[in-house]
Amino acid sequence: MFIKNQFVQNKLVLHLMEKEEYELLTTSSNQEEYLLWKRNKRNTDIVRVSLKQYDWKRELEASVKQVEKKVEQNIQLPLFQQNISFHHIFIVQYQPVDSWSNLKSSDSSTTKIDASLVYMCSQHQDEEFVRFFQSAQLNHALSFSVHNNLLELEYQTELLKHRIQQIHKNAEQEIMAVFNRGKPILSYVLIAINILMFFLLESRGGSTNPETLIQYGAKYNVGMLEGEWWRIITSMFLHIGLFHLALNMLALYFIGTLVERIYGNIRFIIIYFLAGIAGGMASFALNPSIAAGASGALFGLFGALLFFGIKNPRIFFKTMGMNVIFIVILNILFGVFVPQVDNGAHIGGLIGGFIASGIVMLPKSQAFMQQLIAVVLYVFYIFGLLAYGLTNDEVQYDETLQIQRVQQLLEDEQYSEVTEIVSETLPHADQLEAELLFYRSFAHIHIESFDQAKKDLENAVEIKADFEEAWYNLALLYQQEHEFDKAMDATERLLDLDSENNSYQALYKELQRAEN
């Protein structure tokens, strides 16, 4: 009788694998028990096919709970499925002595598994097979005959076991082949270039020095607006500080090599650069600060893994799926709550990498129309970010960014351009309006527009009453225009702010002499 049960068990398992596309998860060493699963868009069915005999209901119930708990702990179950059902099929000689009918269908004792169904298929209980096929919504009927000759039956059973193991082995080899389509050569090259560029920055003024970063190609909106769009590429190889470099290179080592193994060398580097460009454009459109790093390209590699998951959901979720999704969500949330993180570049790169993966497609995949659509979508995406960035005055006229720009222009003695830029920026200013007025007054002084300079300085000190530099320049302008009373008032205000300042004291004495 036992050899007959073995034959039925293996016949059912093989049918599930060949006809119903179930995947073998585990099998016991003596092949007394098989565990399989099948994932659909909304439902996941886990099937246990066992020859274990249980005399009592409590033993059966304990076994069901133990196996479900073990599966939940050791197998990566999907998070976003609407329903996960666990089917326990026991092919036995006789049923438990006491009633077990309440176990036929019940809620699972675990948190992730929704339904627990038990089937006891004994000699006179073939209707249990029918109930299982209906509950699992199987598409193909199972029909077979059991040979009366025990030797022949044993031989057929061994053939079934061998076929099951061969299908499982082929599936494992298919997974291994997916992850060996390219040697991760370019990932290591990129890591080396990034490290070399970091040491170059450190030797030329420091990787955290804004002037050094701008000089060597960081993302700098001002420069890009003046035509330096090459910064989108060069900024991908610069990092701000050792921690930034280490974090990104660690990600490139693990994620980059994985993507390169899946997509191959050429596809990998195309995805990397297209994602980096998308991340850079998103940063230009959404972030006014100086920025650098490979984060946009790295998030693009996550996008490539998500694209792989859509094309190969079975392999994706069996190997790395939930880990990738968790890391992406965690990093996006981290960027939302940490202002220093360039979340625009991260999300922009993620989307860019996903679209770029559709452009290059997976190896051995040909979908010309889909690739053409992906190319068009990528072009619209990049130019859409560009158009938004050029019209996003809150970013492009960010007061901090423009003050940096104005300071550089003053060093270059481009005073007319300073007055123009400050005038364009003031309507968008929030906290640095007084400083912008001060810099514009400085430019007005150099082009001898003294009345405009006085107006700017008067507005500046009205906004920021303790602005010493503005009060000092204003006092000097009043003195130059022979408005000695106003000059004296401004100087007295300076002494109230800092009575020990020698320059303020000297100016005060000079004004006293002029009055006398």
Side-chain angles (χ1 to χ4, degrees), residues 248-459:
N248 276 358
M249 292 307 98
L250 193 64
L252 184 53
Y253 177 77
F254 287 107
I255 305 302
T257 54
L258 176 60
V259 172
E260 193 169 0
R261 288 182 186 278
I262 293 173
Y263 283 85
N265 309 108
I266 302 301
R267 289 180 174 86
F268 161 77
I269 203 66
I270 293 173
I271 293 170
Y272 187 87
F273 275 99
L274 290 181
I277 291 169
M281 289 302 301
S283 180
F284 167 76
L286 302 170
N287 178 22
S289 303
I290 298 169
S295 301
L298 291 172
F299 266 79
L301 300 182
F302 280 115
L305 292 178
L306 294 176
F307 182 85
F308 169 75
I310 290 176
K311 292 295 183 180
N312 295 278
R314 181 178 64 84
I315 297 175
F316 178 72
F317 284 102
K318 182 179 180 181
T319 55
M320 59 185 165
M322 297 316 303
N323 290 331
V324 170
I325 293 172
F326 174 76
I327 292 172
V328 170
I329 294 174
L330 181 65
N331 276 276
I332 291 174
L333 291 176
F334 181 74
V336 169
F337 292 106
V338 179
Q340 292 83 1
V341 175
D342 192 351
N343 215 28
H346 291 180
I347 298 175
L350 179 72
I351 297 171
F354 185 87
I355 299 172
S357 303
I359 294 174
V360 300
M361 274 295 168
L362 291 161
K364 299 181 180 179
S365 298
Q366 292 184 348
F368 176 77
M369 186 55 64
Q370 291 182 26
Q371 290 174 279
L372 181 60
I373 292 172
V375 169
V376 174
L377 186 61
Y378 183 84
V379 171
F380 272 96
Y381 178 54
I382 294 299
F383 280 96
L385 288 172
L386 175 62
Y388 180 77
L390 292 173
T391 57
N392 188 0
D393 291 343
E394 290 185 7
V395 168
Q396 306 312 339
Y397 289 105
D398 175 79
E399 53 192 348
T400 303
L401 176 71
Q402 295 304 327
I403 279 181
Q404 293 174 346
R405 184 183 182 187
V406 163
Q407 289 171 339
Q408 183 61 51
L409 290 171
L410 288 174
E411 288 182 13
D412 297 337
E413 299 182 356
Q414 299 182 35
Y415 303 117
S416 297
E417 193 167 347
V418 168
T419 61
E420 181 180 343
I421 291 170
V422 172
S423 298
E424 292 173 346
T425 306
L426 280 171
H428 309 281
D430 181 26
Q431 297 179 350
L432 302 176
E433 185 178 357
E435 285 77 2
L436 286 165
L437 289 167
F438 175 78
Y439 285 122
R440 188 170 68 177
S441 73
F442 193 82
H444 279 311
I445 290 170
H446 281 82
I447 59 178
E448 299 184 355
S449 297
F450 299 117
D451 288 340
Q452 289 296 326
K454 282 193 294 184
K455 287 180 182 179
D456 283 344
L457 290 170
E458 287 167 352
N459 289 332

Side-chain angles (χ1 to χ4, degrees), residues 15-16 19-22 38 40-45 47 83 85 87 117 119 129-141:
H15 174 81
L16 292 175
K19 301 295 185 180
E20 304 293 345
E21 299 181 351
Y22 273 75
K38 179 180 180 180
N40 298 314
K41 291 182 178 180
R42 296 186 176 182
N43 302 311
T44 295
D45 287 292
V47 178
N83 184 58
S85 301
H87 305 267
L117 301 97
Y119 313 84
F129 269 131
V130 176
R131 185 165 68 89
F132 163 64
F133 272 62
Q134 291 175 345
S135 299
Q137 298 180 348
L138 301 185
N139 299 317
H140 301 87

